[in-house]
Amino acid sequence: MKKYIVGLILLAISCTKENKQTIKSDERIVGIQPYEKFSNEDAKIISFVIDSFYGLKTKILPNKPLPKTAYTTLKSPRYRADSIIKIQNQNIPKDVYYVLGLTNEDISVTKNDKNGQILEPKWKYCDFGIMGLAYRPGKSAIVSNFRIKSKSHNTEMTRLRKVAVHEFGHNLGLPHCPDKSCVMTSAAEKLTTIDNEKLALCKSCQKIINYKM
């Protein structure tokens, strides 16, 4: 069973394992996959931040429906993030290396303990709402703006940038970071955790991926 690293309560940012990559970094194009009616302008912003932050080329893919097989009503109508990243991973376009999905819909995952058992209370963690999920390392990630809403679009987009950079960082092999100012810190119970972190990697995380930006 694949294990997921999931943050606390409803503000979880997550990752799971996949095989390591062997392709040269300058050949890795990130496909930005907007789903349903996700804003094209917002997709461009996320495309730019991944490009400028990690120094990787990005390409915005055509909008498409979320996979029907990922839909669940176990607790509420939403989409399973683990199903989405699996489907993305199995259907990566030939001209890109990674796929970073973007959605307005609520997404979820089962939160397990280190032995793979559902955390207690099971009713809460069997279908746990999250902001994003990614393979670590791997080629597929999904990010949702459902749980980072704000009356200020600028605030919402700042949060979305951080979540996208965080999730894609997992694709590159970065784990959660204990430094609360690092963008790779694990999400906590409040949006203030996201708001207080920087859109930057700490020195320890920079060393892991030989960060040169």
Side-chain angles (χ1 to χ4, degrees):
M1 177 180 291
K2 293 181 178 178
K3 295 183 179 180
Y4 298 92
I5 300 175
V6 183
L8 299 177
I9 310 302
L10 297 178
L11 304 178
I13 294 180
S14 315
C15 62
T16 187
K17 293 183 179 180
E18 195 193 58
N19 292 333
K20 292 185 177 180
Q21 314 306 315
T22 58
I23 195 168
K24 294 180 180 179
S25 61
D26 58 1
E27 298 174 352
R28 298 178 180 181
I29 297 176
V30 185
I32 306 299
Q33 178 62 71
Y35 286 103
E36 308 288 350
K37 297 180 180 180
F38 192 90
S39 164
N40 289 332
E41 291 304 313
D42 291 351
K44 289 178 182 178
I45 290 172
I46 299 305
S47 178
F48 176 78
V49 76
I50 295 298
D51 183 329
S52 60
F53 193 93
Y54 288 112
L56 294 173
K57 295 179 181 179
T58 57
K59 176 181 179 179
I60 299 178
L61 304 172
N63 285 58
K64 67 179 185 180
L66 282 159
K68 293 181 180 180
T69 54
Y71 183 73
T72 181
T73 56
L74 184 60
K75 287 178 63 177
S76 62
R78 53 190 177 190
Y79 290 83
R80 292 285 299 191
D82 48 347
S83 294
I84 295 172
I85 63 171
K86 181 179 180 180
I87 292 168
Q88 286 182 168
N89 196 57
Q90 294 171 341
N91 298 278
I92 296 176
K94 293 181 180 179
D95 56 346
V96 302
Y97 189 76
Y98 303 98
V99 175
L100 173 61
L102 303 173
T103 181
N104 299 319
E105 300 293 334
D106 195 13
I107 59 175
S108 63
V109 73
T110 299
K111 188 175 180 182
N112 298 316
D113 61 22
K114 62 182 180 180
N115 297 316
Q117 300 300 311
I118 300 175
L119 291 177
E120 296 289 349
K122 287 185 173 61
W123 64 264
K124 181 177 182 178
Y125 295 114
C126 66
D127 191 54
F128 189 72
I130 59 175
M131 293 185 291
L133 188 73
Y135 288 119
R136 180 175 70 86
K139 301 179 183 180
S140 179
I142 182 69
V143 169
S144 168
N145 64 6
F146 187 88
R147 295 175 181 274
I148 58 175
K149 296 291 186 181
S150 171
K151 293 180 180 179
S152 166
H153 184 66
N154 287 337
T155 297
E156 185 175 320
M157 288 309 299
T158 296
R159 291 170 178 170
L160 190 64
R161 287 185 185 94
K162 291 177 180 179
V163 176
V165 166
H166 177 110
E167 292 302 337
F168 190 71
H170 285 318
N171 277 175
L172 296 180
L174 289 172
H176 282 151
C177 179
D179 186 337
K180 297 302 181 182
S181 66
C182 178
V183 75
M184 292 308 299
T185 191
S186 178
E189 299 179 11
K190 299 179 181 179
L191 279 174
T192 50
T193 303
I194 303 298
D195 295 336
N196 290 336
E197 71 185 27
K198 298 177 181 178
L199 185 57
L201 296 173
C202 68
K203 291 183 178 179
S204 296
C205 288
Q206 289 179 24
K207 289 180 181 180
I208 293 174
I209 59 171
N210 193 28
Y211 189 76
K212 297 180 179 179
M213 296 297 288

